[in-house]
Amino acid sequence: EINGATADFNFVRGNFIGTAANGTDPLGNSADGVEIVDASNNMIGGTTAGAGNVIAFNGTEGIEVAGTPATGNAIRGNSIFNNGAIGIDLSALAVEGDGVTANDFGATADDDEGANRLQNFPVFIGQATLLGDSIAFRYRVPTNTANAAYPLTVDFYVADSANQEGRIFLASDTYSA
């Protein structure tokens, strides 16, 4: 657990959280795999070789981010699967375990409160197309440009079949308003 305003700028990289060292055998706990509360600018994982964590078989969320301030926390390149609840939960103000936070389409201010200011998530446009060993798709991020730090980095994953968590990191894209 990374907890409190003085618990900023931590790195959690290359760990097996809830699994044995082989990354597939369960050793989970009854709570979250990683929990960030009222802390900012922490990095969970990363996209360089060996930086991503395996976070699986935990009793609740794979990663829970809650509180205010809890901004600037990056969660990237991890393999998250088979947890008791969703893979990453960006909770509203002090409401841990509140599940997927809906996008606030059409909001005039879009200056949400809560963990990481509850940045809207990407929305796919149309169907994906398989092109040999590649996939092509279009997406957008429905966020008020005045309240987002553009350009955004959007990571893409293959979901596990059980909970639709991000099991396999595919690639990143830079999204500009």
Side-chain angles (χ1 to χ4, degrees):
E1 180 174 306
I2 301 170
N3 193 337
T6 60
D8 297 339
F9 300 101
N10 294 288
F11 294 88
V12 178
R13 293 183 171 162
N15 296 286
F16 296 94
I17 301 168
T19 74
N22 64 10
T24 58
D25 292 336
L27 293 177
N29 60 59
S30 62
D32 301 327
V34 174
E35 185 175 64
I36 300 172
V37 180
D38 295 329
S40 297
N41 302 308
N42 296 288
M43 170 64 85
I44 310 301
T47 57
T48 59
N53 301 289
V54 176
I55 303 171
F57 308 113
N58 297 289
T60 56
E61 288 78 19
I63 301 171
E64 175 88 33
V65 183
T68 300
T71 60
N73 294 299
I75 302 167
R76 304 193 61 212
N78 300 292
S79 177
I80 303 173
F81 61 97
N82 287 347
N83 292 289
I86 64 176
I88 301 170
D89 190 357
L90 299 178
S91 296
L93 295 173
V95 182
E96 295 186 35
D98 61 354
V100 175
T101 304
N103 278 345
D104 51 357
F105 293 106
T108 56
D110 200 32
D111 57 346
D112 303 307
E113 295 296 323
N116 276 6
R117 307 226 1 117
L118 301 177
Q119 170 70 53
N120 283 344
F121 55 80
V123 176
F124 290 96
I125 302 168
Q127 297 288 323
T129 305
L130 189 59
L131 305 167
D133 62 351
S134 298
I135 188 167
F137 55 85
R138 293 179 46 215
Y139 72 96
R140 65 185 180 91
V141 181
T143 297
N144 184 312
T145 57
N147 294 308
Y150 285 97
L152 302 175
T153 300
V154 180
D155 291 341
F156 295 95
Y157 296 79
V158 173
D160 70 339
S161 59
N163 297 338
Q164 295 298 299
E165 299 170 85
R167 185 161 190 165
I168 301 169
F169 173 70
L170 294 175
S172 296
D173 188 43
T174 300
Y175 181 86
S176 299

